[in-house]
Amino acid sequence: MNSAVRTETVPEALAGQRVDNFLLRHLKGVPRTRVYRLLRRGEVRVNGGRVKPTRRLAAGDRVRIPPVRASDNRPTTPSASVAKRLEAAILHEDERLLIIDKPSGLAVHGGSGIAYGIVEALRTLRPQCQFLDLAHRLDRDTSGCLVLAKRRSTLRAVHAAFRDGGVDKRYTALLHGDPGGQRRRVTRPLAAATGKGGERMMRVDPNGQRAETAFKRLAQYPDCALVEADLYTGRTHQIRVHAASIGHPVAMDDRYGNAAADRRLRALGLRRLFLHATSLAFDTPQGRVCVSAPLPAPLTTVLERLQSGSVSTDSQ
């Protein structure tokens, strides 16, 4: 429990950050819903005035933070095993960037019952960084290359590169069935929708945002194909929705996939979404950054079993 009101002065390194994200950094362990309630009620003040969550802070702004109780029943910092796992996953680090090989199963952000995500964990591991934020996102069950920026100016530059098509993004995925041909380009606009359980979903919608994915077949197996997916846009769940829209969903996709086909692959030992961010390349003022992340062992093992046919895909 924070026992008294405190005031934090915004440093130059955090100038331009939204006030909600500033609060989440300073109120570790406090649920996001609680943080937004504080803002709605006017309990958080910037330079003495009420603010909306989207307010951008300037260097020197004084932020009033009321006493707030953190959650008592969940950890607010990463365990030693998670910390060790993330340290070992670093692919590239300099004074401006931190790029990791994100493990499957870890969310990039805390919230919705998740005490902390990768960004919160890395902030704990890099306390000397006044600023550390995601330059893009990966789904919780997707593994692979994930970029974080250590400076706001770098974050803006990388955001612009992603937005303007200046980032070469390649993924490896296992799709059900035979997508046909060596290369297949999907250009179907996507829009947000609400699923049966209230979860956020994406769907093909002629009035949605432009989305473009190219699938290149790398190997064909009896019931599935290994593909490389190149992203020309960066919509939420883009690869997963585009793959499902052409009748070849990503293996073990519990939101857009084929449960019956997944059971056959589960017999081969596949226990996670078969989607991996294999490589990223983009230019910075300091030079070109190129990183790659090898396919995780649980996925390569499944491919070896598919190749050898050592386990029947007809098993239930």
Side-chain angles (χ1 to χ4, degrees), residues 130-147:
Q130 285 190 308
F131 181 89
L132 186 63
D133 212 345
L134 292 163
H136 65 121
R137 294 171 182 263
L138 291 178
D139 298 340
R140 181 175 183 174
D141 293 327
T142 302
S143 54
C145 301
L146 180 69
V147 182

Side-chain angles (χ1 to χ4, degrees), residues 6-27:
R6 58 191 168 118
T7 300
E8 298 285 345
T9 300
V10 178
E12 182 67 38
L14 296 182
Q17 186 173 50
R18 284 172 38 150
V19 67
D20 54 352
N21 291 328
F22 183 86
L23 291 170
L24 289 166
R25 173 187 291 270
H26 285 278
L27 296 175

